[in-house]
Amino acid sequence: MLLQLSTWQEIETYLERSQGIILPIGSTEQHGPTGLIGTDAICAEAIARGVGEATQTIVAPTINVGMALHHTAFPGTISLRPSTLIQVLKDYLTCLNRSGFNRFFFINGHGGNIATLKAAFAEIYYDLALSLPDAPPIRCRVGNWFMCGSVYKLAKELYGREEGSHATPSEVALTQYLYPDFIKTASLPPKVASGYPIYSATDFRSHYPDGRMGSNPDLATPEQGKQFYERAVKELSSKYLEFLSSD
Amino acid sequence: MLLQLSTWQEIETYLERSQGIILPIGSTEQHGPTGLIGTDAICAEAIARGVGEATQTIVAPTINVGMALHHTAFPGTISLRPSTLIQVLKDYLTCLNRSGFNRFFFINGHGGNIATLKAAFAEIYYDLALSLPDAPPIRCRVGNWFMCGSVYKLAKELYGREEGSHATPSEVALTQYLYPDFIKTASLPPKVASGYPIYSATDFRSHYPDGRMGSNPDLATPEQGKQFYERAVKELSSKYLEFLSSD
Amino acid sequence: MLLQLSTWQEIETYLERSQGIILPIGSTEQHGPTGLIGTDAICAEAIARGVGEATQTIVAPTINVGMALHHTAFPGTISLRPSTLIQVLKDYLTCLNRSGFNRFFFINGHGGNIATLKAAFAEIYYDLALSLPDAPPIRCRVGNWFMCGSVYKLAKELYGREEGSHATPSEVALTQYLYPDFIKTASLPPKVASGYPIYSATDFRSHYPDGRMGSNPDLATPEQGKQFYERAVKELSSKYLEFLSSD
Amino acid sequence: MLLQLSTWQEIETYLERSQGIILPIGSTEQHGPTGLIGTDAICAEAIARGVGEATQTIVAPTINVGMALHHTAFPGTISLRPSTLIQVLKDYLTCLNRSGFNRFFFINGHGGNIATLKAAFAEIYYDLALSLPDAPPIRCRVGNWFMCGSVYKLAKELYGREEGSHATPSEVALTQYLYPDFIKTASLPPKVASGYPIYSATDFRSHYPDGRMGSNPDLATPEQGKQFYERAVKELSSKYLEFLSSD
Amino acid sequence: MLLQLSTWQEIETYLERSQGIILPIGSTEQHGPTGLIGTDAICAEAIARGVGEATQTIVAPTINVGMALHHTAFPGTISLRPSTLIQVLKDYLTCLNRSGFNRFFFINGHGGNIATLKAAFAEIYYDLALSLPDAPPIRCRVGNWFMCGSVYKLAKELYGREEGSHATPSEVALTQYLYPDFIKTASLPPKVASGYPIYSATDFRSHYPDGRMGSNPDLATPEQGKQFYERAVKELSSKYLEFLSSD
Amino acid sequence: MLLQLSTWQEIETYLERSQGIILPIGSTEQHGPTGLIGTDAICAEAIARGVGEATQTIVAPTINVGMALHHTAFPGTISLRPSTLIQVLKDYLTCLNRSGFNRFFFINGHGGNIATLKAAFAEIYYDLALSLPDAPPIRCRVGNWFMCGSVYKLAKELYGREEGSHATPSEVALTQYLYPDFIKTASLPPKVASGYPIYSATDFRSHYPDGRMGSNPDLATPEQGKQFYERAVKELSSKYLEFLSSD
Ligand code: NI
Ligand code: NI
Ligand code: NI
Ligand code: NI
Ligand code: NI
Ligand code: NI
């Protein structure tokens, strides 16, 4: 049930039975020598569509570009500044709220989006309440697929410490499952930096010269990707339904 | 050659031979009782990918949500405010320019985006030149698939005045070709309003109650969609190459 | 009937019979070696006042500085960034709407303003409707004097291809008619560039080194200027009245 | 020497001998039952042109709309919000500075502009220095014609306490001198409020129901207006030259 | 009665008897070789607390950083840009107004804040009235302790022309009274520049190389500081009560 | 070593040996029936000063108002919108960076600030690098005193689950230690809600009617507060030194 493949009259009908919507949000950023630049958007989109089907929920078009300023020293990265992303989210939710939606479940593929999403929600709640004090209040929630308990457990089992924290085998596996024709290979140095905090883009690249943060994506396989997909869909479907039904 | 399905090292290599990039931009807005809400993004994305293949050019992730404030009285429409869209485009191009890209060809599926794109380009040229006075200057161009001469001619031949100006049979045909499983039917009143200028969202809906502007999308077929697709790809590929090579 | 030469009580009285207002908008930008920097504002202002008299309509003070960032590599040009111009227009229309005006007819002297005006209108409709959902909706229209059919026809007759697209003989003629003491002369190279697209200010100046775009303003005479003035006033007066009376 | 009646090449030549420019700024706001809505812009413009002639200085187009939010409960008032006016001034000065101007003398006709002008100058100095650390620094000054010593003295002599502080006989006299065909009459109640501080627009109108603040504009004559004009031009010409020559 | 040392229920009770609040605002900027960087915030805070006690009024947390861009060429200065400060004040007053406060008395320690405060008030009145047209209107006032008649008189008596206009003995004396352990000494050149207008930060430092503007803070004593404190508290208490009771 | 109690020449000297600075940031928000509205700022300020002394580091003035929009349905709360806070932080760090500081350690007293701080850091790194590409890069870190391991452990030992997550006994204890004269009492219902997610301010208040989130601040004592203070100072001092020395 994709918003983009629906008509406005189908949405009108949908809104009679539910005011919930799922919004996939990813990022367009370097993912190491073998990870796809679109990894975070691809994963979020696929899982969001799975959750949409499982829960009979409308899924919005994917927000492909998120907050990835720290990756901008690598070519191909595109990022919004947090101030811009806050405005984008405000525009999205104001429109959708005017349509009748009031439960917004973001399925997120990128850790770097979390802080800005959270900041944006606070600002949107406040600004919408000021301009429309009598409208039914909206609620937003973020579901990070890579932080699902079942996903995290599997990643630890399969990869241990080589999961790392960026360009991870788990996310690479998921893209391999979704895009088997785009599995990339490169000779990855076995030793890879980890543990440096994230500051500016230049600083990031000097500490993480090939873009990986402590990960070994060579471990990834499409079959593992399928497992991650299924676990994430299952767990986030539960979370969405719980979110929708909570008072 | 999709940016999202590339690695950063592939982009680095690409930039050695070309600094051009294609950016599909659409809209998420009502398209009448039988048109998909994602029509403009779907068409722009498909054509952009066709042009990317034909010209061996990198294609960025699609900007799915554009400037459609006048459609927001219909449920399901999502729009950025022009001020927000200008910031979004500035963020995109600043990042990509830092990567090394300097020729930006937008393939656009929505008339409502044109003014804001044009305004944004002027602001981006100016702001980038102020902050980076010595960098090689960037250039932007918009290719509107629906305004291609060959497309326009075909639409007139096939539909005459029933092409209309929103939720047109040509764009509906193109989505039917791309998503044959999502062909919608509805009984469309044969008489449909046309010619009213566009003002506010409420005003729009009162003049165009089912969302169509003078169009009869019932005339659309997937086969016609294929023809539109091929003509648009061919014509925009030429335009892109001319843009790239112009001094 | 100039707003600036009226009292607030006269405006109060006026609003009882009409809620329409004319807003001249121009630009402050180079117009080649013999064109006045204020050409676009001067023309818009004069024509707007003519239309105001012909239709008994209030005319606002001229917006002298518009969107001319692409001319800023020539000394004397002043431009607003599109983001700023959108805010300016929003402030103007919010105030005037609070006063009781709701039909805004911009008489525009500068092609570079059109995109930003259009973007601004969309944003203003939306923002005003959000903050004042119950107020009577506003409507905006742009009348570009240089695109009037009767003006265009005369320019073609008088100048053919030498009309060009910036620092044109038609606009220079109009300023000669209005300011006969400020007719400038310079030896203009007969060959002048034309047809290059507009990108950054630096790019513009390198392609159009004396500021003209394909035009030969030497052809202009004050008598022709009078003709342009009269045609523009007549045609835009009709357009304004039609705008005002449309439902 | 009006910028708008010059060519860019004349400005280029001018900049070789001077980097100073005069910018008239006024307001578009109610001025009581007999004062023109454009009073502040009209006065600033006329005096600025006088100073321009006396000192052989370029005069920019008048900023007709300033900061008059407290007058917006009277129909016909147009105001920028201070945040917008700061951006407008930043855009103006950035362009002009790029042209080569670096001494900006604002001739101001409206007390309500002073605070925002001052705030804007601080922000512009800072932002320009950040983006162009090596450019020669700019300087801004405000010359308020109504606060000139010679003007103030004359107003006190002619009107005493009836000068008041808004819609004053001195400014009305000046507009009568400049626009003798637009002298307005109305029966003004002799008693008029004064001394209330300025808060919101609604508050303002409730305390000053006809728009005057303690003034009796009935005392004004065109002849007095001429005197004000001459004194202001003389005094501000000296101030401008002193500003220009100060190290 | 400090807001920060109260509970929300105490504020709820307070609001039943008064809707007034005192907001100290200072600056964090160089104050010459012997003046504390926090001088303006320290003075404003102490006096505001005195006024709060004298008038039984709630005092908000001090705004420590104000508009001091012209001091930023000296290390240790922190300043907001005026555009930012306007937003900050808007956020403060919107929250407090929602709580029930509607009389805002700023006790200010820094001349550089005045213009931005005034601009902000105008914008806040307007924006709050647009978004909440039916709410009881708010009122703001600035009380500059250093411009109190009784303070000014004492400073003239004690220091004459050596009071100067920045890093003055009066403000230094006040900080000596409040922080006797932080009295600084340095050999101050007896001759100190004065009278240059304020432009950019670089310009400021070149004219006022040690940060003082015409002042001799060596004259300051803690005992004098106590006198300034008492006079300022007394005079501003009266002004606050008058503000609160005015209709 | 408080910035506000230093002179600019002392800061100049300090910068020769260190480029690090500590910035306390809190919030001004309801803390239940017995918690002080300033709790988060008070705690952050005291601990920051302790860390400053322990590590011989300059401490900036406290940012008293943070991101607390979700508490604004309780009187006395003041909050910045995240967009505003990002600008404030950008202004602070731009100034301080110009002074020579480049290591910014925020000691934070409020969970609600974390997301916006993180978003702001990303934006500041990026914007500073764009405008000053050759300057030594800056680094920011947040030290949340309430999330220190040693603090958390003590809170669990002392209060178990009654620590809760807002208006906690640990933060109340700390304010009791710092302000023994302002210990508040109220009869607190033993049962208090917990576990509801945070959405809008209205929603928050309806779920947490007295402002506490699962906490029992009745358990707090000043002696415990002293222990929290000492642990936080010790642990954050280590963290600061480690931050400063990391490459
Ligand atoms: Ni990722
Ligand atoms: Ni379409
Ligand atoms: Ni023109
Ligand atoms: Ni006036
Ligand atoms: Ni001071
Ligand atoms: Ni707290």
Side-chain angles (χ1 to χ4, degrees), chain F residues 29 31 39-40 109-110 166-167 171:
Chain F
E29 67 185 42
H31 269 79
T39 296
D40 297 350
H110 174 50
H166 183 67
E171 62 183 344

Side-chain angles (χ1 to χ4, degrees), chain D residues 226-241:
Chain D
K226 185 164 184 290
Q227 286 180 276
F228 284 115
Y229 171 78
E230 285 163 355
R231 290 183 177 214
V233 168
K234 191 174 167 203
E235 189 166 331
L236 290 176
S237 294
S238 299
K239 285 196 174 152
Y240 172 70
L241 292 173

Side-chain angles (χ1 to χ4, degrees), chain F:
Chain F
M1 300 187 65
L2 301 186
L3 179 64
Q4 57 266 45
L5 295 180
S6 308
T7 66
W8 72 264
Q9 292 175 341
E10 289 168 345
I11 299 304
E12 194 173 53
T13 303
Y14 172 86
L15 282 161
E16 289 166 18
R17 69 166 173 87
S18 174
Q19 293 77 48
I21 188 168
I22 293 167
L23 299 108
I25 179 167
S27 183
T28 296
E29 67 185 42
Q30 69 82 17
H31 269 79
T34 58
L36 306 181
I37 286 174
T39 296
D40 297 350
I42 288 165
C43 296
E45 182 170 285
I47 292 165
R49 291 177 180 192
V51 174
E53 270 181 43
T55 63
Q56 292 298 301
T57 305
I58 282 287
V59 179
T62 304
I63 301 175
N64 292 305
V65 168
M67 209 311 288
L69 292 176
H70 48 302
H71 292 296
T72 52
F74 292 91
T77 298
I78 311 178
S79 175
L80 299 181
R81 293 153 72 255
S83 297
T84 305
L85 184 49
I86 290 174
Q87 292 304 314
V88 166
L89 295 166
K90 197 180 296 183
D91 284 1
Y92 269 58
L93 269 55
T94 302
C95 285
L96 288 168
N97 187 220
R98 232 183 111 161
S99 282
F101 292 100
N102 57 33
R103 292 293 178 273
F104 302 97
F105 192 75
F106 287 81
I107 291 189
N108 178 35
H110 174 50
N113 290 336
I114 298 173
T116 302
L117 280 166
K118 210 169 163 185
F121 294 165
E123 187 157 322
I124 293 168
Y125 295 141
Y126 189 72
D127 285 0
L128 281 183
L130 274 185
S131 68
L132 297 169
D134 303 323
I138 69 163
R139 290 184 180 175
C140 303
R141 180 80 57 92
V142 181
N144 302 294
W145 77 265
F146 52 92
M147 288 165 72
C148 286
S150 59
V151 165
Y152 188 81
K153 191 159 164 287
L154 180 62
K156 281 299 153 207
E157 284 168 19
L158 293 172
Y159 317 124
R161 297 194 50 188
E162 291 180 274
E163 165 73 353
S165 53
H166 183 67
T168 61
S170 58
E171 62 183 344
V172 168
L174 184 39
T175 60
Q176 289 180 344
Y177 165 58
L178 296 166
Y179 288 92
D181 297 344
F182 289 86
I183 298 178
K184 314 276 175 161
T185 52
S187 81
L188 296 174
K191 275 225 147 165
V192 60
S194 73
Y196 294 108
I198 295 176
Y199 303 113
S200 73
T202 307
D203 197 296
F204 185 99
R205 187 159 181 178
S206 75
H207 280 105
Y208 300 110
D210 74 0
R212 292 177 297 150
M213 297 174 78
S215 68
N216 181 4
D218 261 356
L219 304 176
T221 69
E223 293 71 30
Q224 296 163 352
K226 184 165 185 288
Q227 287 180 275
F228 285 114
Y229 171 79
E230 285 163 356
R231 291 184 176 212
V233 167
K234 190 173 168 204
E235 189 165 333
L236 290 176
S237 294
S238 298
K239 285 197 174 152
Y240 172 71
L241 293 173
E242 177 197 43
F243 168 61
L244 206 65
S245 64
S246 68
D247 80 305

Side-chain angles (χ1 to χ4, degrees), chain C residues 22 24 41-53 59 107-109 143-146 148 151 174 178 228-234 236-237:
Chain C
I22 293 168
I42 288 166
C43 297
E45 182 170 285
I47 293 166
R49 291 178 178 189
V51 173
E53 270 181 43
V59 180
I107 290 188
N108 177 37
N144 301 293
W145 76 266
F146 51 92
C148 285
V151 164
L174 184 40
L178 297 167
F228 284 115
Y229 171 78
E230 285 164 356
R231 289 182 178 216
V233 168
K234 190 172 168 205
L236 290 176
S237 294

